[in-house]
Amino acid sequence: MHEYSDKVIRHFKNPKNVGTIEDASGVGEIGDPTCGDFLRVFIKVEGDVVIDVKYQIRGCPAAISCASAMTELAIGKGLDDAMMLTEDDIVTALDGLPEFKLHCSALGAAGLQKAIIDYFERYVHGKKT
Ligand code: FES
């Protein structure tokens, strides 16, 4: 696959769920040192369900599309299922990515996982205040 799918282009032109969550249950930050792209993910959890996901990003078009798709996949999922969301799930939801852009899906998946871990550390393990 050499070109961007229609879904990638749609998400890039109209990214979903961009922004912050003021009273976020968890926040995850992840950067890619090779390209300098950066993603910050905010999640809101109620019970065991991720009820909202938002993000700030400085990234390439593929990373933006992946972050947008990640929010759509994660919102409404239980914490366990959201934690298991993979880069492949994101790429599949976008109908694929060009080979040389596959790594851009890593930010979305890892940012979400870090936000969930932050939630567990804050509220479940009580490590943070
Ligand atoms: Fe850095 Fe796409 S080039 S995430």
Side-chain angles (χ1 to χ4, degrees):
M1 182 172 194
H2 303 292
E3 294 181 348
Y4 288 126
S5 69
D6 289 345
K7 278 193 185 170
V8 173
I9 293 167
R10 272 208 302 277
H11 276 282
F12 175 61
K13 286 186 170 169
N14 184 20
K16 303 287 190 292
N17 301 306
V18 178
T20 63
I21 299 176
E22 204 132 298
D23 57 341
S25 311
V27 180
E29 295 182 342
I30 184 88
D32 184 334
T34 57
C35 62
D37 288 353
F38 179 82
L39 175 69
R40 181 180 293 127
V41 176
F42 302 81
I43 59 168
K44 186 77 186 159
V45 177
E46 243 177 54
D48 280 342
V49 176
V50 179
I51 61 162
D52 199 11
V53 183
K54 295 220 178 329
Y55 62 95
Q56 297 173 310
I57 189 165
R58 189 189 63 220
C60 71
I64 291 168
S65 296
C66 287
S68 176
M70 174 275 289
T71 64
E72 291 193 330
L73 290 170
I75 292 172
K77 274 200 170 44
L79 281 167
D80 288 352
D81 288 340
M83 189 70 186
M84 287 192 288
L85 207 76
T86 64
E87 298 166 25
D88 283 350
D89 293 332
I90 294 171
V91 172
T92 301
L94 290 170
D95 292 339
L97 275 177
E99 198 75 23
F100 72 105
K101 292 305 250 177
L102 282 173
H103 71 279
C104 306
S105 60
L107 288 183
L112 175 65
Q113 284 166 2
K114 284 192 149 200
I116 294 170
I117 290 168
D118 183 49
Y119 163 75
F120 278 117
E121 286 181 349
R122 281 193 211 194
Y123 297 104
V124 180
H125 300 304
K127 285 185 186 161
K128 294 184 178 177
T129 51

